[in-house]
Amino acid sequence: MSILIALLHITVLLSIIISLAYFRAPLLIWLGSMAAVTTLGFFGHQSFYQPLWIMLLPLLITLILGFLSIIPLRRKLVSKPLFSWFKGVLPTMSDTEREALEAGTVWWDAELFSGKPKWKKLLEVKKPELTEEEQAFIDGPVKTLCGMLDEWEVRQNNDLPKEIWGYLKEHRFFSMIIPKAYGGLEFSAFANSAIVMMISSRNVTAAVTVMVPNSLGPGELLMHYGTEEQKDYYLPRLASSEDIPCFALTAPAAGSDAAGMPDEGVVCMGEFEGKEVLGLSVTWDKRYITLAPVATLLGLAFRAVDPNGLLGNQKDLGITCALIPASTPGVEIGARHIPIGSAFMNGPTRGKDVFIPMDWIIGGQARIGQGWRMLMQSLAAGRAISLPALGTAGGKAAAIFSGAYARIRRQFSMPIGYFEGIEEPLARIGGNAYRMDAGRQLTLAALMEGEKPSVLSAILKQQLTEGARLVINDAMDIHGGKGIIEGPNNYLSTVYKSTPVAITVEGANILTRSMIIFGQGAIRCHPWLLQEMEAAANPDENHGLASFDRALFGHIGFVISNKVRAFVLGISSARWVRAPIQGPTARYYRQLTRMSSAFAFIADFILATYGGSFKFKEKTSGRLADILSHLYLASAVLKKFEDDGQPKEDMPLVHWAMQDSLYIMQTRIVGILRNYPMPFVGKLIRLVIFPLGLPYEGPRDTCGKHVARLLLTDCPSRDRLMEGLYISDKDDATGLLMQAFAADRKAVVPERALKNAFKEAVSITNYENLIERGLATSIITQDQAELVRTAQVLAIKVISVDEFPADATPM
């Protein structure tokens, strides 16, 4: 009975704390709660002879909470001192940091930060689909383009062939984002992603060439920020490829810290077309600019300054974006960098004291100093399209091609895919490819609804390009010697070598993981933190204090509720959480709710511990970023499973992806708490989150075996994973691979009959002998003999590697 009373005490107190913190308890409810606690205390003392002070302790706490419910008194004695302290420890935020923070929107990431995600909201999101026009473009020009591309030819010539450049221009591949009113295709984000993904599965160089004009650059900036005159002039020229654009942002002294660029434009008077006009004298030194060697229109970011006060009293006007024709005197353009593993056009551009008129600024003179905001707003959506599509293409292609090769390649008289050592990387490839595509599709669904999810786009870029690196490494291991010999028969080497390019550009993954995902996500997605920061920045002291008081006690209630929820879900293994779906995935919804609560609680605890110095705790920030990333990707996996109609045959992929994500989240939480500056407190927090020990173990070997089997067989799950890839029907490297895979499946029955009859497995060295003996003894028919022969001949071609003269030039 004493235990029951103690539990009643705790329940009443927690109810009061949470209700007061959220300002939902009127005075009458508080008085009733106080009376209840007092009664409980007195009853416990009288009945069980407990010390009176213990039984009255809840009453004392209730009195304190009652004091805190008197808002004017609380604000003066509690919130005001904390307000002053908070403003003192809050790190200063530069204009560029603020603009990056304010870019885009929040979406499902805010639900994950809440600790209690509303799964119904996620499941109601419409699955993105292609229009008839978009599908026709993919079935027509895109597949035709892929059929024209020869990977080895591109690599040998270090450029796309002229006919490919001509085809891209003719069919307006560079105008997918430009409205039809200006001559563009005006495709959706989903179509943009699908087109880039299909081309990427055939040739990375062509994919990058297509995706750059349709990503962050002149076209995107003009549509959102250009003047009507600029749109009317440039957008039709970009749509028809009369102009080829590039955008120059990165400088030798400003890479990841792009906002610290030294490139400068000085406001001055200058001569333009025979007249003296107001403009800027711009000096820049940029590098790593894709399409720069062939560009006719240069988009340029620089810092505008007005030392002579021609525009007013402000000297540093901020980062500004301008459009400069490449033919402008003083513009240096045309030299090349050679990106590793790729042949797409990339190079430096420079200029010294190049005069440009004011109307060359994107948006005109009124947009001076708004360049960084423009870039961040555009990147918030654009980063979720191109590079994630390229990464997903790598993941899906690695899954399909590695599964086919592991089926065809035999050692010790059996396909290598049936060895457990190969099953393990095959499972990683399949599970990761499924999860990557799920994340891609969910984020595109958000874009189709008009969202610009800046945090989620950062997650997608970092996780999907890292995922591509993981799966291509596993694919190389599976292919062994086949993967390390250069030549037209090697379909892995280009992707293997070029993967670091995707990892580096549009925000290097190390920076994105350690500083952007959680650093930006914590402020944008947290229900109270941004309100507290805005209150601290409010110049009106009284209004700021009032706002801070509301946010502070809302924040306190948020922390307490997540702490209680995390503990209750931990002690109950989240069994009583209501899942929106019944069936085999229901438990995963429950576990993600549990991890969301744990994440929200630990994130607040870490931020409170480090305060302003958290900005420099990049290892901890990176671990928190991984938790948020896998909460999102795991959500996407569940959504994809529902969107696909809950196919039972896909459950091994779902199980693998979910169990892997849950294990990664658990590992990161343990890593955070192990490195917490106060070890004892870290252990207590771990006890709150994992009161019964660590619950997740990662995918089991049996699960991995099932995933590997899906990649080794011709089945609906494999077909769904293959959707969106270009599958060659030619006698090239990947075409022969797919032909050999199909032939191997057809030859299963006669090969088994030969093995059973002669106690010898069919191989590339003995197939003719076994066919002859099988025909002689009527073990197989002539048609079956041809199936076996075709399968083995194709297998020989697939496992073959290229040979060159002894004096051949290294590639």
Side-chain angles (χ1 to χ4, degrees):
M1 183 63 74
S2 59
I3 295 175
L4 176 61
I5 292 174
L7 289 173
L8 286 172
H9 282 167
I10 293 171
T11 302
V12 172
L13 287 173
L14 289 176
S15 300
I16 294 171
I17 291 171
I18 295 172
S19 62
L20 285 174
Y22 281 109
F23 308 103
R24 294 174 184 168
L27 181 61
L28 184 61
I29 295 178
W30 172 74
L31 290 173
S33 300
M34 184 175 69
V37 173
T38 304
T39 303
L40 284 171
F42 179 77
F43 178 77
H45 169 67
Q46 295 295 325
S47 302
F48 301 102
Y49 307 102
Q50 299 294 328
L52 183 61
W53 69 270
I54 291 179
M55 306 311 295
L56 292 180
L57 182 61
L59 176 60
L60 176 62
I61 297 174
T62 306
L63 289 172
I64 294 173
L65 293 173
F67 156 74
L68 292 177
S69 69
I70 304 173
I71 294 177
L73 193 61
R74 178 188 75 197
R75 189 175 295 170
K76 180 178 181 180
L77 298 181
V78 178
S79 298
K80 189 173 183 178
L82 288 175
F83 187 48
S84 299
W85 169 82
F86 185 74
K87 289 197 292 185
V89 301
L90 193 66
T92 57
M93 187 179 298
S94 67
D95 291 340
T96 52
E97 286 177 316
R98 184 175 300 279
E99 288 168 356
L101 185 63
E102 294 172 351
T105 61
V106 295
W107 189 59
W108 184 245
D109 39 347
E111 290 294 323
L112 297 174
F113 255 96
S114 73
K116 46 181 180 179
K118 298 179 179 64
W119 294 108
K120 185 178 179 181
K121 174 182 176 181
L122 179 72
L123 295 176
E124 288 176 349
V125 174
K126 185 178 179 181
K127 179 182 179 180
E129 295 180 348
L130 298 169
T131 66
E132 290 184 7
E133 181 183 9
E134 291 167 344
Q135 186 65 61
F137 188 81
I138 291 174
D139 292 338
V142 175
K143 288 186 177 179
T144 300
L145 170 68
C146 291
M148 294 168 63
L149 289 163
D150 184 321
E151 176 68 46
W152 184 246
E153 180 186 11
V154 172
R155 289 164 62 186
Q156 291 297 100
N157 297 328
N158 209 25
D159 191 7
L160 295 172
K162 289 183 179 180
E163 57 268 28
I164 297 294
W165 279 104
Y167 190 84
L168 293 174
K169 294 176 181 180
E170 177 188 355
H171 291 276
R172 305 203 170 201
F173 275 83
F174 300 150
S175 72
M176 290 192 290
I177 63 171
I178 296 176
K180 291 180 179 179
Y182 298 100
L185 296 174
E186 198 174 350
F187 283 167
S188 66
F190 186 58
N192 192 336
S193 173
I195 290 167
V196 171
M197 184 171 71
M198 180 168 286
I199 300 172
S200 297
S201 69
R202 182 62 168 173
N203 180 263
V204 173
T205 295
V208 173
T209 302
V210 168
M211 77 188 198
V212 167
N214 293 292
S215 185
L216 177 62
E220 175 83 6
L221 295 172
L222 278 169
M223 287 192 301
H224 294 292
Y225 305 105
T227 64
E228 291 305 314
E229 292 79 6
Q230 290 171 341
K231 292 178 184 178
D232 290 340
Y233 180 75
Y234 279 117
L235 289 179
R237 294 171 64 90
L238 291 170
S240 66
S241 300
E242 184 176 352
D243 272 325
I244 300 296
C246 70
F247 191 84
L249 176 63
T250 304
S256 296
D257 182 20
M261 65 183 70
D263 311 289
E264 190 173 82
V266 180
V267 178
C268 63
M269 302 298 293
E271 185 177 338
F272 179 71
E273 295 181 346
K275 298 179 182 179
E276 189 176 37
V277 298
L278 183 65
L280 301 103
S281 177
V282 188
T283 298
W284 71 90
D285 182 6
K286 304 287 191 179
R287 63 179 182 178
Y288 308 148
I289 312 306
T290 299
L291 296 187
V294 295
T296 61
L297 181 64
L298 170 65
L300 183 69
F302 57 90
R303 185 171 295 278
V305 295
D306 186 15
N308 300 317
L310 297 180
L311 299 180
N313 296 326
Q314 187 175 350
K315 304 298 183 185
D316 186 351
L317 303 178
I319 293 174
T320 301
C321 295
L323 293 178
I324 305 175
S327 59
T328 303
V331 174
E332 296 181 29
I333 203 165
R336 283 191 71 176
H337 302 310
I338 306 297
I340 184 172
S342 299
F344 63 85
M345 288 292 167
N346 184 280
T349 175
R350 300 178 182 90
K352 182 172 177 59
D353 299 328
V354 177
F355 182 77
I356 65 171
M358 280 293 178
D359 58 9
W360 285 12
I361 295 171
I362 298 178
Q365 184 174 322
R367 292 285 187 180
I368 290 180
Q370 297 182 25
W372 192 248
R373 180 182 294 109
M374 292 157 58
L375 292 171
M376 291 301 99
Q377 290 286 357
S378 298
L379 199 60
R383 189 160 47 184
I385 300 174
S386 299
L387 289 173
L390 192 149
T392 303
K396 290 161 75 81
I400 299 305
F401 296 156
S402 296
Y405 185 80
R407 171 92 194 184
I408 296 161
R409 178 61 166 154
R410 298 183 183 184
Q411 292 289 275
F412 306 103
S413 301
M414 64 184 290
I416 63 171
Y418 291 105
F419 289 97
E420 288 192 351
I422 300 297
E423 278 182 355
E424 190 172 17
L426 266 182
R428 284 197 298 266
I429 293 172
N432 274 293
Y434 184 87
R435 183 167 59 197
M436 291 162 67
D437 197 30
R440 181 188 71 92
Q441 290 187 31
L442 179 58
T443 312
L444 291 169
L447 296 179
M448 299 284 278
E449 292 190 346
E451 299 288 344
K452 291 187 175 182
S454 55
V455 175
L456 297 183
S457 67
I459 288 174
L460 209 64
K461 187 271 172 180
Q462 188 262 331
Q463 286 288 325
L464 269 57
T465 54
E466 286 292 341
R469 173 156 60 183
L470 175 65
V471 298
I472 193 62
N473 283 343
D474 278 333
M476 289 290 287
D477 287 346
I478 290 170
H479 283 74
K482 169 74 173 178
I484 62 173
I485 301 301
E486 283 283 25
N489 280 314
N490 191 327
Y491 44 81
L492 292 179
S493 66
T494 296
V495 179
Y496 177 72
K497 290 189 290 185
S498 64
T499 295
V501 176
I503 284 169
T504 303
V505 301
E506 288 192 11
N509 281 4
I510 288 179
L511 169 75
T512 302
R513 175 181 178 268
S514 63
M515 298 180 68
I516 294 177
I517 293 175
F518 182 78
Q520 186 172 339
I523 299 173
R524 285 302 306 275
C525 305
H526 195 287
W528 300 106
L529 186 57
L530 183 58
Q531 294 183 40
E532 291 167 336
M533 294 177 67
E534 290 174 341
N538 194 324
D540 186 332
E541 185 76 15
N542 292 329
H543 188 270
L545 176 59
S547 300
F548 180 78
D549 176 77
R550 286 192 296 272
L552 173 64
F553 280 86
H555 197 157
I556 292 172
F558 179 73
V559 173
I560 293 172
S561 63
N562 276 314
K563 177 181 178 181
V564 173
R565 188 182 299 110
F567 179 74
V568 171
L569 295 181
I571 204 75
S572 65
S573 298
R575 289 187 181 90
W576 300 318
V577 174
R578 181 177 297 176
I581 299 294
Q582 299 303 313
T585 61
R587 63 189 178 103
Y588 292 129
Y589 287 96
R590 298 187 183 102
Q591 294 308 314
L592 287 187
T593 298
R594 175 183 179 180
M595 283 295 96
S596 174
S597 295
F599 169 71
F601 170 58
I602 199 172
D604 269 315
F605 210 93
I606 291 296
L607 291 171
T609 299
Y610 290 112
S613 66
F614 179 76
K615 188 175 183 179
F616 306 103
K617 301 299 179 182
E618 296 168 24
K619 295 175 184 176
T620 298
S621 179
R623 294 183 181 109
L624 287 164
D626 289 344
I627 300 170
L628 178 59
S629 296
H630 278 276
L631 278 169
Y632 179 65
L633 292 177
S635 301
V637 167
L638 297 177
K639 179 67 165 65
K640 175 176 170 58
F641 183 69
E642 295 303 316
D643 286 345
D644 290 345
Q646 299 182 340
K648 292 182 179 179
E649 57 270 23
D650 285 2
M651 279 310 301
L653 295 165
V654 174
H655 285 314
W656 193 98
M658 294 301 301
Q659 291 167 20
D660 184 64
S661 284
L662 288 167
Y663 182 71
I664 289 172
M665 287 185 265
Q666 173 182 274
T667 303
R668 299 302 184 267
I669 291 174
V670 170
I672 291 168
L673 298 179
R674 183 182 293 132
N675 292 280
Y676 192 73
M678 294 172 281
F680 177 70
V681 176
K683 291 179 181 179
L684 288 179
I685 298 173
R686 176 169 170 169
L687 186 62
V688 169
I689 296 174
F690 300 123
L692 302 179
L694 301 179
Y696 310 123
E697 299 177 343
R700 292 181 177 272
D701 291 346
T702 52
C703 179
K705 179 186 288 290
H706 292 317
V707 172
R709 289 294 188 270
L710 293 179
L711 302 184
L712 293 168
T713 56
D714 188 10
C715 62
S717 292
R718 182 176 176 274
D719 291 341
R720 276 187 290 272
L721 202 57
M722 192 164 49
E723 285 179 0
L725 299 181
Y726 177 76
I727 303 302
S728 174
D729 57 0
K730 298 181 178 181
D731 289 342
D732 53 21
T734 57
L736 287 170
L737 176 67
M738 302 309 287
Q739 292 175 42
F741 179 78
D744 185 87
R745 296 289 299 146
K746 294 177 181 178
V748 167
V749 173
E751 285 187 1
R752 183 182 297 123
L754 292 172
K755 181 179 180 181
N756 291 338
F758 304 119
K759 309 305 179 187
E760 186 178 357
V762 178
S763 71
I764 60 174
T765 60
N766 69 0
Y767 70 94
E768 286 292 1
N769 177 264
L770 290 179
I771 287 173
E772 184 179 344
R773 293 166 62 190
L775 288 172
T777 56
S778 299
I779 299 297
I780 58 173
T781 67
Q782 190 64 49
D783 288 343
Q784 288 177 319
E786 193 56 37
L787 291 177
V788 174
R789 182 177 289 110
T790 299
Q792 295 304 314
V793 169
L794 286 170
I796 292 171
K797 292 180 179 180
V798 166
I799 68 173
S800 297
V801 296
D802 295 284
E803 301 174 6
F804 299 93
D807 59 351
T809 304
M811 295 149 223

